[in-house]
Each structure stands twice: as structure tokens, then as C-alpha cells.
Amino acid sequence: MSSKTSNQQMENSLELLNSIRTVTPPKDLLLKIERKIENNKQNVIPLRWVKAAAAIFICVFFTEVYLLSNKTQADDLSELIVTVDYTLYNE
Amino acid sequence: MPTMTFSEIYKLFGGMVYNVALQYTQNGQDAEEVTQDVFVLVHEKMNAFRNDAELKTWIYRIAVNKSLDFLRAKKAVKRWSFLSAKGIDEKKYEMVHSEFNHPGVQLEQKEALAFLFSCINQLNEKQKTAIILVRIEGISMDEASSIMGLSYKALESVIGRAKIKLQNIINESKEDE
């Protein structure tokens, strides 16, 4: 019974929401929207430029990785040469 | 692709979006901002539509999501300001201090509705949306369930839980007084 009463009380409270009137938006709102759309168009970077920049970045990155890995191999080789040094010392 | 131009779409649905945004923000200026965001997105994506029948549901969905995004962003800003203001009960702050400036509310109802909305604001997003769409906007359960992506039964359940939670919030606030 108490849950029914509580439900009724809730319904009575929510009845208040029926008194809210529909509001007409401001007359200049469409103009503001159109201006915002125009601004967004000007700020957008063309997708092909973004793709080109991404492609260049990836190429540079992998080039660096390749060069670094080659340099490491070259260093290892040069160390080997040093250790296998056949220089004769004057006795 | 819809047969209507963008300005025709705005004329048809502008009022609807503005009022939905008002129910979430309870503030004319904020509702304007949300409405602008909604229609900018509508303009970007409107060519994706096959027929006008889906358009209303789709626009409602965007209006709900943009309104919720706006509220989340606003809450985040408020949360940061609380870090510097110690000892303030955030819940009480929400209940008492309100930017309640709903132009659809008559003066004599303002205080009562400001209180009711402060309670509705404490519901979770799903519950708040269900109450706004069905009880304030007067949308049918079928349409509301379509907008929210829920089954009819699920929406009924959400509204039922929302009412119980609202009652608890109202009772707690009366106890605090």
C-alpha cells in the first residue's frame, strides 16, 4: 500500500512537468548555426594533406630505424676487427 | 539523402532540438549552444540518410547525445573548481545553487520546478533522458525507445527506476531541511 502511495506522490510531483511550455528558439539561431558551419569549413585541413603528412612521417621513421640498425651492425663489425688485430709489437 | 534542404530541416526540427536541449540544461544560453552543435553535425552528416522517416529519430538522438556531452563537460569544470573550495557539499551545491533559467517555466512555478529539475539532474543519464523524453517532451514510449536504442520493456524499467530514485532524492532533501 505504501509503495502505491509513494508512487502516487511521485506522479503528483511529475505532474508539475506538464506545466512547462514549449519555447520558440531565438530568431537569429539559424544565422549563428550557418556561421559556425562556415567557420568549421575554413578550419578543416584537407584530408589528402593529412594523409600525405602521415605517409612522410612513416617513411622518415622507418628510414631512421633502418639506418640505426645498420649503424649498430657496422659498429659490431668494427669492434670485431679491433679485437682481431694482427699488429705486431716490437719486441 | 533527405529531400529537404538544411534550412527546411532546421525549420522543421529546430524548435524540437532547442526544447530538448532546454530540458537538459535548464538555461536558454546553454540550450542555444547545444542546438548549434546539433545542427552543425546534422549539416555534416545529412547526406547519409535514405529517407525522411528516420530523420526525426536521428536528430533527436544527436540532440540527446550533444546535451549529455555538454552536461559532462560542465560537470568536469565544476569538479575542478571544488578542489579549491573545501568543505562544500557538492550535492547540496547542485540542489541549491542552480543556473535555472528555463524560459518555458512560468514565474509562479519557478521555485517548485527548479527544485524538481535539481532532483532530475541527479539521475543517471539513461534515467534522465527517459524522464525528459517521455514525461516532459511527451514523446511516445515507442519513439523514445527507438531514440534511446532500448526495447519497450527496458525503457519501462528505466522509467520505473527513475521514479523510485527521484522519490528517494526528494525525501532525502526534505529530511535535510
Side-chain angles (χ1 to χ4, degrees), chain A:
Chain A
M1 196 64 143
S2 63
S3 67
K4 262 191 184 172
T5 322
S6 154
N7 212 23
Q8 191 56 49
Q9 279 177 349
M10 196 59 249
E11 280 300 320
N12 291 343
S13 301
L14 291 177
E15 282 288 311
L16 199 53
L17 297 171
N18 297 340
S19 66
I20 299 173
R21 294 177 302 193
T22 304
V23 181
T24 313
K27 286 179 184 170
D28 61 345
L29 188 52
L30 178 58
L31 198 64
K32 287 180 184 174
I33 291 166
E34 285 167 346
R35 242 183 250 146
K36 205 165 189 174
I37 291 168
E38 274 308 308
N39 284 343
N40 284 357
K41 275 186 193 165
Q42 285 167 13
N43 292 337
V44 167
I45 301 168
L47 192 59
R48 60 176 182 273
W49 290 14
V50 174
K51 285 180 182 172
I56 291 167
F57 175 77
I58 290 166
C59 285
V60 166
F61 178 76
F62 281 108
T63 306
E64 284 291 329
V65 167
Y66 175 74
L67 287 172
L68 276 170
S69 65
N70 277 355
K71 190 182 175 189
T72 312
Q73 283 175 16
D75 282 346
D76 287 342
L77 278 171
S78 64
E79 276 176 18
L80 271 173
I81 291 166
V82 166
T83 56
V84 188
D85 185 4
Y86 291 108
T87 308
L88 293 171
Y89 292 98
N90 289 331
E91 291 180 13

Side-chain angles (χ1 to χ4, degrees), chain B residues 132-147:
Chain B
I132 285 173
L133 291 181
V134 177
R135 293 309 300 257
I136 304 179
E137 288 293 295
I139 293 170
S140 69
M141 288 287 286
D142 283 327
E143 201 174 353
S145 62
S146 179
I147 292 165

Side-chain angles (χ1 to χ4, degrees), chain B residues 18-38:
Chain B
Y18 182 70
N19 279 277
V20 166
L22 260 181
Q23 313 317 347
Y24 280 94
T25 60
Q26 297 120 46
N27 179 289
Q29 255 184 320
D30 293 344
E32 258 194 65
E33 195 178 322
V34 171
T35 307
Q36 286 180 43
D37 291 342
V38 169

